[in-house]
């Protein structure tokens, strides 16, 4: 593995979108697209580049597409399970998962990932 491996940032789209009561439930796909676009524009506040941003979407948000700077990963089933799979793929790489979900936080931390809450992206 390259010593300069970029940080892999995996964003729990449903959890981050759902952390703000801004009407997201009326248009889940649109809310996920707004989050994707915000990530593409701002990156991860307080983290130097390079980072690889991956937004995991599920359910009604599965139709969201990738844009330059943000890869969108649709979960065929559970978004949490897809996040764990992505976290486990490259154990030697620095990984950061953005979620407030307690069970998911435990699962990815057990794989050696760092975890931060949605507020890190939304202020």
């Amino acid at each position: 593995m390259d010593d300069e491996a970029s940080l892999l940032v995996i964003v729990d789209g449903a959890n981050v979108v759902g952390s703000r009561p801004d009407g997201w439930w009326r248009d889940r796909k649109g809310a996920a697209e707004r989050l994707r676009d915000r990530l593409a524009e701002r990156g991860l506040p307080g983290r130097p580049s390079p980072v690889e941003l991956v937004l995991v979407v599920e359910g009604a948000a599965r139709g969201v597409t990738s844009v330059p700077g943000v890869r969108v990963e649709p979960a065929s089933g559970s978004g949490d399970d897809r996040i764990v799979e992505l976290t486990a793929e490259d154990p030697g790489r620095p990984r950061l998962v953005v979620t407030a979900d307690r069970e998911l936080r435990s699962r990815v931390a057990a794989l050696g990932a760092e975890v931060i809450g949605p507020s890190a992206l939304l202020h």
Side-chain angles (χ1 to χ4, degrees):
M1 185 191 81
D2 181 15
D3 289 343
E4 298 298 318
S6 64
L7 175 66
L8 174 62
V9 179
I10 305 167
V11 179
D12 181 351
N15 187 267
V16 172
V17 164
S19 70
R20 288 188 138 171
D22 63 0
W24 59 265
W25 51 89
R26 291 188 293 270
D27 180 10
R28 292 171 194 257
K29 182 179 178 194
E33 288 170 337
R34 287 188 297 278
L35 174 58
R36 176 206 58 200
D37 294 347
R38 181 183 184 126
L39 290 168
E41 180 182 318
R42 298 183 183 176
L44 183 63
R47 298 286 174 147
S49 293
V51 300
E52 178 184 352
L53 286 165
V54 179
L55 175 62
V56 175
V57 296
E58 59 187 285
R62 269 194 213 113
V64 175
T65 58
S66 297
V67 297
V70 180
R71 185 175 96 221
V72 177
E73 280 282 332
S76 58
S78 158
D80 289 3
D81 289 346
R82 184 66 185 129
I83 291 166
V84 170
E85 289 169 5
L86 290 167
T87 303
E89 283 178 2
D90 195 351
R93 182 177 186 187
R95 294 148 300 149
L96 173 68
V97 175
V98 182
T99 188
D101 181 299
R102 285 191 185 126
E103 181 183 345
L104 179 58
R105 290 171 79 96
S106 294
R107 291 173 69 191
V108 297
L111 294 169
E114 183 183 350
V115 183
I116 59 173
S119 63
L121 297 181
L122 300 174
H123 58 260

